[in-house]
Amino acid sequence: MSIADTANNNPYEDDFPTQKAILGMDMPMRLDCGAELSNFSIAYETYGTLNADKSNAILVTHALTGDQFVAGVNPVTGKAGWWSIMVGPGKPIDTDRYFVICTNVLGGCMGTSGPAAVNPETNEPWGVDFPVITIGDMVRAQALLLDEMGIETLFSVVGGSMGGMQALEWAAAYPERVFSCVPIATAATHSAQNIAFYEVGRQAIMADPDWCDGHYLKAGKKPRSGVSVARMAAHITYMSEAALTQKFGRRLQDREKVTFGFEADFQIESYLRHQGNSFVERFDANSYLYVTRAMDYFDLATTHGSGRLADVFKGTEIRFCVVSFSSDWHYLPEESRVIVRGLTGAGANVSYVDVVSDKGHDAFLLEEPAFERVMRGFLEDAARKRGLIDE
Amino acid sequence: MSIADTANNNPYEDDFPTQKAILGMDMPMRLDCGAELSNFSIAYETYGTLNADKSNAILVTHALTGDQFVAGVNPVTGKAGWWSIMVGPGKPIDTDRYFVICTNVLGGCMGTSGPAAVNPETNEPWGVDFPVITIGDMVRAQALLLDEMGIETLFSVVGGSMGGMQALEWAAAYPERVFSCVPIATAATHSAQNIAFYEVGRQAIMADPDWCDGHYLKAGKKPRSGVSVARMAAHITYMSEAALTQKFGRRLQDREKVTFGFEADFQIESYLRHQGNSFVERFDANSYLYVTRAMDYFDLATTHGSGRLADVFKGTEIRFCVVSFSSDWHYLPEESRVIVRGLTGAGANVSYVDVVSDKGHDAFLLEEPAFERVMRGFLEDAARKRGLIDE
């Protein structure tokens, strides 16, 4: 039985239609942890048309809980893709002009191999026997997929949050394969505060008895409460204090007075509970552990250099556009400025925009006209330089 | 069996020596939720000597997880009291001059009646049958204790965080019984973000199967993991991002390389796990629910006025000193400024200091010389006005 046959046993996948490549068949992929992965799946979607010289490909990299359905309609949810504001015909990432690829990250749970997939050696779900992966591993797998597609160089790699980490990793690991790079609302390394928040989530999941020491799928269980609490804790960090106040304040949920109890009296409580409960349905608990761990381990300057970002990117010819959002406290604008200083120190071609927004970290996923203008302008300019648009 | 006899069944108390008053004996205390509480215990400590005209009493009010052992040695932990930096002979809250009282809040678990205490009607631990209490109820119980002590007027009521809410509540509910008031690192109402953080903690506790629907004491259990996760989530909010970076950064715990696993690789992880695990030993899970709920419900302007703080304090003769800390993101300096604007609008006598500190919310508990000078100066000046020091 090959991975391709068994992959549909992944309960988070449910036979939804997505493209899938089986990689590491001739030669296993070496992971940063030292393990090797062979015959693994990368689920992906493409939008637009690859041009004749294969020079118009944009890899969009997704965040922690994102997926490959970046534009159009997500066949699982029936809703718009997670970045359809930004990606589509006539949009800033214009699928009339660019060929957009988005892969579900290694360790994810939307068709790509991860802890919820079946281990071909045991024919049972990997669970926590799946090797721990890094942002570097995610990107290495994406590079193998591009090899399969015959795409040598990306016109751009674009991503927000953990997607921004992948974009930076691409620029560091494959400088010759990247023409331009747009790291958004991200950091070159995970801060203590972010490690802390994700550690709370992991502890919540691992404390849930239904986690079954990581083998809940085998046991036919699901650590629902743990995942829900993890999601609630993380979700708070995605919004600014101002946005929470504006959106919810102290407004009560379907009642005129507090109940003097522990039900969801306040709208913010029922909103968070809903976020937690609905997340359980669409995301694998172990994937949450693996993908947050990959973020914790991300430290670009240490992995690729002497500890200095400027050394990592020395002599790079990639065109960078770094974007932060003023009210983002998950990945602070200062963390983007650290990237910009490193790039500048490396003599790189770098633009930086701190978009004034009160929407917090989530701003990169929401309607922010200034951000859209920056994306469109930067990509159009790069497209001219790349010969995709007549100068 | 009276509450006084059974109170030692509280597993969080373990016979440690503390003073205790049984209140609500002649007349039950009416709670904001509508229930009545009779024969309830208030555990408290005092430091210094009450003067002849009983005009030198300072009530220090504690934060969420604080207790009555504000100074000297905490007999439970054997360590210094939680504010011994601030309270003691020669300290800014000088026990050579002032008579300091600190009570464990109603709903707490250090000897005061709360969900871990025994319900005299059933002779079993209250658990979640204990009525939901408010900051107003906590203060009402403190006022009854002062009645018992024959103290008509407090020279000052001083508290940080939830202690600051109690201080403000005192000023609003008993303006004639308060000469001065020092709300520190607090807010006049709980923000959506803070409700959200505490809701995460409550959900973590209530999701733990060992919570037993709130009756774990009867069942001989303890929701250890839930309480630990709740504490971890809250603890992050007590420190600034800068303090976390400075104290922990990405330093590893007793190892040279990451383990590619889910153990505590990073110091911040093992620190948080330790915070969580040790908290379980000293704090009752249900108390955590009750006391955080009291904070969520706190909304001074709505409870005591038309929704405007200026109306709450109109005509007050209390001398106020409001203190915030620049890097506090749990109770933002802006929330202190809201209090100051309300007081100023009410024509109150108010000083305000935003102490520049990188220590975050916890700064009020830590060594901050500028803060100590402010406290000493404000109290000495008020003491002169009060005739406790010769002008």
Side-chain angles (χ1 to χ4, degrees):
Chain A
M1 195 188 272
S2 77
I3 285 261
D5 295 329
T6 62
N8 282 339
N9 290 341
N10 174 344
Y12 295 90
E13 184 177 332
D14 284 325
D15 287 323
F16 59 77
T18 192
Q19 300 181 67
K20 200 176 283 190
I22 312 296
L23 302 173
M25 283 192 295
D26 304 331
M27 190 165 56
M29 186 175 86
R30 178 116 184 146
L31 300 172
D32 282 333
C33 68
E36 294 187 329
L37 205 58
S38 50
N39 295 336
F40 61 94
S41 309
I42 294 292
Y44 67 98
E45 289 296 311
T46 66
Y47 308 84
T49 309
L50 187 61
N51 62 7
D53 60 355
K54 301 187 172 183
S55 63
N56 70 334
I58 295 183
L59 178 69
V60 173
T61 46
H62 71 68
L64 168 54
T65 67
D67 54 41
Q68 63 270 41
F69 304 109
V70 63
V73 174
N74 180 324
V76 183
T77 61
K79 295 182 186 164
W82 59 266
W83 221 14
S84 41
I85 279 181
M86 194 60 81
V87 183
K91 301 284 171 70
I93 299 179
D94 188 348
T95 51
D96 289 338
R97 176 177 295 150
Y98 311 117
F99 177 65
V100 172
I101 309 158
C102 186
T103 79
N104 184 216
V105 294
L106 196 64
C109 52
M110 294 294 277
T112 289
S113 291
V118 167
N119 178 348
E121 286 184 20
T122 63
N123 205 25
E124 288 190 326
W126 279 99
V128 287
D129 294 332
F130 193 78
V132 165
I133 43 96
T134 64
I135 302 290
D137 295 329
M138 294 175 184
V139 163
R140 211 166 291 129
Q142 288 159 349
L144 287 177
L145 175 66
L146 294 190
D147 292 345
E148 288 274 304
M149 291 177 159
I151 297 172
E152 180 52 38
T153 308
L154 289 167
F155 164 61
S156 199
V157 51
V158 180
S161 202
M162 188 183 79
M165 294 180 180
Q166 294 165 68
L168 289 169
E169 178 71 24
W170 261 99
Y174 302 101
E176 72 291 353
R177 298 188 71 171
V178 177
F179 184 76
S180 67
C181 175
V182 188
I184 303 157
T186 193
T189 187
H190 228 204
S191 69
Q193 192 178 69
N194 282 336
I195 296 174
F197 272 115
Y198 286 126
E199 171 65 2
V200 168
R202 286 190 295 265
Q203 289 295 313
I205 289 170
M206 296 194 286
D208 188 327
D210 287 340
W211 183 61
C212 303
D213 291 322
H215 294 291
Y216 49 89
L217 291 177
K218 255 186 258 184
K221 297 193 171 176
K222 222 177 192 183
R224 305 183 73 88
S225 339
V227 171
S228 178
V229 168
R231 175 64 168 177
M232 289 172 69
H235 198 81
I236 301 174
T237 70
Y238 303 153
M239 298 175 75
S240 69
E241 204 268 346
L244 280 170
T245 299
Q246 205 177 311
K247 194 164 174 181
F248 305 105
R250 295 180 52 80
R251 282 188 290 284
L252 300 178
Q253 176 72 7
D254 305 331
R255 59 200 61 170
E256 291 193 355
K257 295 197 294 187
V258 298
T259 59
F260 292 103
F262 301 108
E263 286 310 303
D265 277 350
F266 296 98
Q267 286 180 10
I268 176 65
E269 293 176 299
S270 77
Y271 171 77
L272 279 184
R273 290 184 190 188
H274 172 75
Q275 288 293 330
N277 292 334
S278 57
F279 186 63
V280 174
E281 303 306 327
R282 71 176 176 92
F283 210 84
D284 173 56
N286 283 333
S287 268
Y288 197 84
L289 303 184
Y290 278 76
V291 177
T292 57
R293 203 49 164 165
M295 285 194 279
D296 287 352
Y297 282 169
F298 187 62
D299 189 354
L300 200 67
T302 304
T303 311
H304 290 280
S306 55
R308 291 182 66 241
L309 272 182
D311 293 340
V312 175
F313 292 112
K314 197 151 189 85
T316 186
E317 291 181 9
I318 300 169
R319 308 173 67 80
F320 288 90
C321 178
V322 178
V323 181
S324 61
F325 296 89
S326 59
S327 59
D328 184 352
W329 62 276
H330 189 39
Y331 295 103
L332 296 163
E334 177 55 22
E335 296 182 88
S336 282
R337 287 192 284 267
V338 167
I339 298 169
V340 172
R341 285 198 290 271
L343 288 168
T344 307
N349 184 332
V350 53
S351 307
Y352 169 57
V353 178
D354 182 47
V355 176
V356 176
S357 161
D358 64 359
K359 299 196 182 86
H361 182 62
D362 266 354
F364 83 96
L365 297 167
L366 304 171
E367 214 157 313
E368 281 290 358
F371 174 41
E372 288 166 36
R373 281 194 300 273
V374 165
M375 288 290 283
R376 189 185 294 276
F378 175 79
L379 289 175
E380 280 183 5
D381 180 64
R384 263 180 221 105
K385 300 289 190 303
R386 182 72 171 157
L388 299 177
I389 308 178
D390 294 336
E391 295 252 9
Chain B
M1 197 189 268
S2 78
I3 284 262
D5 294 328
T6 62
N8 283 340
N9 290 342
N10 176 343
Y12 295 89
E13 184 177 331
D14 284 323
D15 287 324
F16 58 78
T18 193
Q19 300 181 66
K20 202 176 283 190
I22 312 296
L23 303 173
M25 285 192 296
D26 305 332
M27 190 164 56
M29 186 175 86
R30 177 114 184 146
L31 300 173
D32 282 333
C33 68
E36 293 187 330
L37 205 58
S38 51
N39 295 336
F40 60 95
S41 308
I42 293 292
Y44 67 98
E45 289 295 312
T46 66
Y47 308 83
T49 310
L50 189 61
N51 63 7
D53 59 356
K54 301 187 172 183
S55 63
N56 70 335
I58 295 183
L59 178 70
V60 174
T61 45
H62 71 70
L64 166 54
T65 68
D67 55 42
Q68 64 270 41
F69 304 109
V70 64
V73 175
N74 179 323
V76 183
T77 62
K79 294 181 187 165
W82 59 267
W83 221 14
S84 41
I85 280 180
M86 194 60 82
V87 183
K91 301 285 171 70
I93 300 180
D94 188 348
T95 51
D96 288 339
R97 176 177 294 148
Y98 311 116
F99 177 66
V100 172
I101 309 158
C102 186
T103 79
N104 183 216
V105 296
L106 196 64
C109 52
M110 295 292 277
T112 289
S113 292
V118 167
N119 178 347
E121 285 185 20
T122 63
N123 204 25
E124 288 189 326
W126 279 99
V128 288
D129 294 334
F130 194 77
V132 165
I133 43 97
T134 63
I135 302 289
D137 295 329
M138 293 176 185
V139 164
R140 212 167 289 129
Q142 289 158 350
L144 288 178
L145 176 66
L146 293 191
D147 292 346
E148 288 275 303
M149 290 177 159
I151 297 171
E152 179 51 38
T153 307
L154 289 167
F155 164 60
S156 198
V157 53
V158 180
S161 201
M162 188 183 79
M165 294 179 180
Q166 294 164 67
L168 289 168
E169 177 73 24
W170 261 100
Y174 302 102
E176 72 292 354
R177 297 187 71 171
V178 177
F179 184 76
S180 68
C181 175
V182 188
I184 302 157
T186 193
T189 185
H190 228 204
S191 68
Q193 192 179 68
N194 282 335
I195 296 174
F197 272 114
Y198 287 126
E199 171 66 1
V200 168
R202 286 191 296 264
Q203 288 295 312
I205 290 170
M206 296 194 287
D208 188 328
D210 287 341
W211 183 60
C212 303
D213 291 323
H215 294 290
Y216 49 89
L217 291 177
K218 254 187 258 183
K221 296 193 172 178
K222 221 178 192 182
R224 304 183 72 88
S225 337
V227 171
S228 178
V229 168
R231 175 63 168 178
M232 290 172 68
H235 198 81
I236 301 174
T237 70
Y238 303 154
M239 299 175 74
S240 69
E241 205 267 347
L244 281 171
T245 298
Q246 206 177 308
K247 194 165 176 183
F248 305 106
R250 296 179 51 78
R251 281 187 290 284
L252 299 179
Q253 176 73 5
D254 305 331
R255 60 199 60 169
E256 291 192 354
K257 294 197 295 187
V258 298
T259 59
F260 293 103
F262 301 108
E263 287 310 303
D265 277 350
F266 296 98
Q267 287 180 10
I268 176 65
E269 292 177 300
S270 77
Y271 171 78
L272 278 183
R273 289 184 192 187
H274 172 75
Q275 289 293 329
N277 292 334
S278 57
F279 186 63
V280 173
E281 303 307 327
R282 71 177 175 91
F283 210 84
D284 174 56
N286 282 335
S287 267
Y288 197 84
L289 304 183
Y290 278 76
V291 178
T292 57
R293 204 50 164 165
M295 285 195 278
D296 287 352
Y297 283 170
F298 187 62
D299 190 354
L300 201 67
T302 305
T303 313
H304 290 280
S306 56
R308 289 182 66 241
L309 273 181
D311 293 340
V312 176
F313 292 113
K314 198 154 189 83
T316 185
E317 291 182 10
I318 300 169
R319 308 171 68 77
F320 288 89
C321 178
V322 178
V323 180
S324 61
F325 296 89
S326 59
S327 59
D328 185 352
W329 64 275
H330 189 40
Y331 295 103
L332 295 163
E334 178 55 23
E335 296 181 87
S336 281
R337 288 192 284 266
V338 167
I339 298 169
V340 172
R341 286 198 290 270
L343 287 168
T344 306
N349 183 334
V350 54
S351 307
Y352 169 56
V353 177
D354 181 46
V355 177
V356 175
S357 162
D358 64 359
K359 300 197 181 85
H361 182 62
D362 267 355
F364 83 95
L365 296 167
L366 303 171
E367 215 157 310
E368 281 290 357
F371 173 43
E372 288 167 36
R373 281 194 299 274
V374 165
M375 288 291 284
R376 188 184 295 275
F378 174 80
L379 288 175
E380 279 184 7
D381 180 66
R384 264 181 219 104
K385 301 287 190 302
R386 183 69 171 161
L388 299 177
I389 308 178
D390 293 336
E391 295 253 12

